[in-house]
Amino acid sequence: MLYTYTEEGEIEAETVKMQLKATDSLAVLKDGTTIAFAVERVDLEYWLGEWLPVILIVYDAQTDIAYWVYVQAYFQSMVSFDLAKIGGTTTIHLSSVDVVDTRAMRLFAHYKADVLRQRPEVIYYES
């Protein structure tokens, strides 16, 4: 989980969930900028069931570089995607320009804040 902080250094509510996967043999497509990475259906079901952002990080151990994709946004942009129709695994395509760095961490915090702004309900807990 990634905890985010205000400009004053105070911890914010909620977290960004992150899943780290490492590989010694990163599959780069012929275009040289697209990374293909297989994920298990069971993982995808869990990630897509989360309401806060889930970031998949694929670490290339050979180059010591980590790439990321915002899982819910990735699949939401795929009009024809149907989780019920995939088998045991599916392939996610990451961009080689989406490297985990300080800028990416700020984006992750932005994604979380955006989701929290959209949340319409208020939860009341009984005592």
Side-chain angles (χ1 to χ4, degrees):
M1 290 189 289
L2 172 70
Y3 293 90
T4 59
Y5 297 83
T6 66
E7 292 293 323
E8 295 77 31
E10 296 178 8
I11 194 164
E12 295 177 326
E14 304 297 348
T15 60
V16 176
K17 294 202 175 175
M18 304 173 92
Q19 175 68 59
L20 175 64
K21 303 279 187 175
T23 182
D24 284 324
S25 55
L26 194 68
V28 180
L29 301 185
K30 289 181 184 178
D31 67 7
T33 63
T34 304
I35 298 159
F37 192 80
V39 295
E40 299 288 325
R41 177 192 172 113
V42 67
D43 290 333
L44 192 54
E45 287 173 343
Y46 175 76
W47 300 335
L48 293 177
E50 290 293 315
W51 68 278
L52 285 167
V54 174
I55 308 296
L56 171 63
I57 297 174
V58 177
Y59 173 71
D60 180 6
Q62 296 298 315
T63 62
D64 194 31
I65 299 174
Y67 305 93
W68 65 272
V69 63
Y70 181 179
V71 175
Q72 294 102 319
Y74 176 86
F75 285 99
Q76 185 176 7
S77 72
M78 298 175 66
V79 178
S80 62
F81 176 74
D82 184 352
L83 183 59
K85 293 182 180 178
I86 68 166
T89 63
T90 192
T91 300
I92 293 182
H93 293 112
L94 298 91
S95 173
S96 64
V97 300
D98 291 331
V99 175
V100 177
D101 57 13
T102 304
R103 179 185 151 281
M105 293 296 163
R106 287 189 182 106
L107 270 175
F108 304 161
H110 169 77
Y111 296 151
K112 181 195 78 166
D114 188 52
V115 168
L116 289 174
R117 276 192 296 278
Q118 297 175 55
R119 191 169 168 197
E121 76 278 356
V122 175
I123 299 171
Y124 293 98
Y125 298 96
E126 291 184 30
S127 58

